[in-house]
Amino acid sequence: PPATASAAPPPALPAPAPQPGKAAGKAVGKGQVVGVRPVMKPHDLQMERKKPETIGPGGPQNNRIEELRRKSAEAEEAQRKRQEEMKRNREEDLQRRKEMTAATNVRKVLAKVRAARADSYDALRAQLEESIATNLEAMGSIASKVGQEAEEVLQAAQTRIDDLNEQRAQEDRERAEQEKQRKHEAENSVKFVEEAKSDAQTQLKKVQEAEELCKKLEDEADPTKLLERTEAAEKEVASVLGEANEVKAAIHEKQRRMLTDGNSKIRR
């Protein structure tokens, strides 16, 4: 039989030329070559250069986290302080309201004491002391101020009442003096009238005696005795008239003094 030629193997394909930037290596799997670094795009190269900077405790990422933590802690501390301040303000406001309420209770009684009369002062003063004792603790920081106000009001009220009492006492003394003077004037008037009547009766008696003496002249026949009796009668009548004028002047003088004394005392 004729000799046959054996089939020749297919020719081997040429190996691909290595690309720039790649090193020759051994293929270990699909799409992978051991010892060959893959080609990287510019963006990947920039990110690759930045990776070492973000890794480690001092990197920018950790710094941002620490900054956020610090700001969060500061915000929490500020919030806590605000809440404490608000709580303290509420407590202080409540305390002030409590103090003002207690002080108002005391000042209401103080207003009554300011207008107290002499007959109501003691009772209102006792009421004020009781109100201060009841509200003393609640008044807190303004207790001393209210206490000072109470002292001033009590002192002013006491002075005013003392002045009123003195004024009333003076008025009572003046009324008593006026009453005494009226009684004295009434007694003087009675005495004046009695004295005037007595003087008038005395003068009337003397006038009657003079009239009797004159009547006796009609019965006298002796001219010598008639002349003597006439002279005596004239002297008697003149004496009686003189006494009568003196009594009249004395009565007028007493009356004038009584009126003058009364007017001067009324003016006083």
Side-chain angles (χ1 to χ4, degrees), residues 36 41 52 70 94 121 176 193 203 213 230 241 251 257:
V36 178
K41 297 179 180 180
R70 183 181 62 80
L94 181 61
Y121 174 75
V193 172
Q203 293 304 312
L213 184 60
T230 300
L241 290 174
I251 291 173
R257 285 200 303 267

Side-chain angles (χ1 to χ4, degrees), residues 169-183:
Q170 180 64 26
E171 292 174 354
D172 292 340
R173 288 192 295 269
E174 291 177 356
R175 281 194 296 267
E177 182 65 24
Q178 291 173 0
E179 183 65 23
K180 181 180 179 181
Q181 180 62 28
R182 281 194 294 268
K183 290 181 179 180

Side-chain angles (χ1 to χ4, degrees), residues 126-137:
Q127 184 178 350
L128 176 61
E129 292 174 352
E130 180 180 358
S131 179
I132 291 175
T134 302
N135 296 277
L136 182 61
E137 183 177 356

